[in-house]
Each structure stands twice: as C-alpha cells, then as structure tokens.
Amino acid sequence: MREDRSMRTWPALLLALMVAAVVAALPAATALDGDPGGGPGGGLGGGPGGSSPPSPPADTPVPAVGRTWPVGLRPSVIRGWEPPATTYGRGHRGVDLTAAPGAPVRAVAPGRISFAGRVAGRGVVSVELNGTGDPPLRTTYEPVRATAKKGAEVAAGEVIGVLEPTGSHCPASCLHWGLRRADAYLDPLSLLPPWLLGRGPSRLLPVIGVPESGLRTVP
C-alpha cells in the first residue's frame, strides 16, 4: 500500500513542476496606456536582461528639458495627467493634446527612438531622453504612425511620426503624450519649461515714434 500511494503522488508532483515552468517562461506584461516600455528588460521595446535598474524616488524632480510641444505651437490640453492610486488603478497616465489627423508629431527633447511600432492596434513611438539619469526618462506618443526608426537619434522638434486618424481614446482627434521613468508614470507637462508652458499667441504692441508698418511682435 505504501508503494501504491507513492506512485499516485508522482503525477500530481509532475503537473506542479510543469505549471511552474510555464509560468516562469511567460513574458512580462506590457505597460499600461499602450506604452511598450523601452528600458533594459522592459516590454516590447526592452533590451537584453531580465530586470530594470532601481527607479529614483517618486518625488525626484523632472528636468525641464523640453524645447517644443509635441504637436502644434500651443495645443489645448483636453485631459490632464491623473496619477492612479495604485499600479493598476484607474487614472490617466499622460495628457491628451488637441491635434488633427495627419499632424506632424515631434520629439519634445533630444533622445533616441526606443520603440516605433504598434501596441494593441495603435501606433506608438517612444523616445528615451538624453541626459535624464539612469534609467532615463522616456516619452511616448500615440496614436502615431512612425516616420523615425528604432535606434535613431532625434533632436528636439524633429518629426518622429504623424497623428493617425483612428486609435485615439478622445471624443475628437488628439495625441496622447506620456512620460515614464522605468515603471513610474510622471506628468509629461513637467518636461516643459515655464516660458513654453505660459507662451500665448503673439500680439502687436505700439511703439512711440515708429510708423505702423514698423510695429513689432512680441511673444
């Protein structure tokens, strides 16, 4: 009887070992909001290795390295950044900016294209920003048809794609712009310096002693 019981336990033990092996072999889940990742070992855009470097504290300031808006001159913010209370909680992990389909989408700061492809049917472009620490800050843009290739170095203001007519979660056409450091979502507007955030439309100012044809514009 002792031998029979031992033989009956072998199938259960073998099944448990097989399940553990399958779970260990599963790929890591991709990030939320269509962001494929892009840091070491992270998501679709990740490099070799199986772990990411430790992230800086959540309250680490974001350097204002942005030199342009990703679309237009001063687009309206349809919906702002709403950080979730938990990793998988409800929120808005980025900002939505007004833009027409086919509008050029630009890199807000110098960096390297870490991902350019499709995630869940939407075009996504990710850019790792130069000089922003380890792991670096990474901006994401969607729904965007990429015109830049993965691995390409881009300058601030360089066109990296065009806004697609479908795939947006806005009622009207918009660009979803995100910012991450490793697995932490951050407010992408914090990349823009005050002079860029607060810049309004140009206006004419009268200058005493200068004819009307010589009026100048100021930002």
Side-chain angles (χ1 to χ4, degrees):
M1 293 296 294
R2 186 175 304 168
E3 182 180 355
D4 291 342
R5 283 197 300 269
S6 175
M7 292 179 64
R8 286 197 298 269
T9 60
W10 271 108
L13 178 60
L14 181 60
L15 178 61
L17 291 174
M18 292 174 63
V19 171
V22 170
V23 171
L26 289 175
T30 56
L32 300 175
D33 266 15
D35 183 355
L44 298 176
S51 61
S52 298
S55 301
D59 57 354
T60 300
V62 173
V65 295
R67 292 298 175 262
T68 183
W69 286 87
V71 286
L73 296 177
R74 179 63 172 87
S76 298
V77 178
I78 301 174
R79 184 179 178 186
W81 182 62
E82 301 166 11
T86 61
T87 302
Y88 297 102
R90 294 177 61 86
H92 191 231
R93 298 165 175 83
V95 298
D96 294 335
L97 306 176
T98 55
V105 178
R106 297 178 170 84
V108 299
R112 180 185 64 85
I113 303 292
S114 58
F115 180 82
R118 307 198 72 79
V119 176
R122 292 174 293 180
V124 179
V125 179
S126 297
V127 181
E128 286 186 356
L129 304 184
N130 296 339
T132 56
D134 184 19
L137 291 171
R138 184 171 65 255
T139 54
T140 58
Y141 312 82
E142 61 176 286
V144 173
R145 177 174 58 82
T147 56
K149 302 295 185 182
K150 180 180 178 180
E153 295 289 335
V154 293
E158 185 172 341
V159 175
I160 57 177
V162 296
L163 189 66
E164 293 184 327
T166 58
S168 169
H169 56 236
C170 301
S173 176
C174 76
L175 173 75
H176 180 80
W177 176 31
L179 175 67
R180 290 181 63 186
R181 189 189 293 276
D183 294 329
Y185 288 90
L186 304 167
D187 183 2
L189 293 178
S190 60
L191 286 171
L192 302 181
W195 64 266
L196 193 54
L197 279 171
R199 185 176 67 185
S202 298
R203 62 190 185 279
L204 292 175
L205 292 180
V207 180
I208 298 176
V210 177
E212 187 175 347
S213 60
L215 291 179
R216 60 191 176 91
T217 61
V218 296

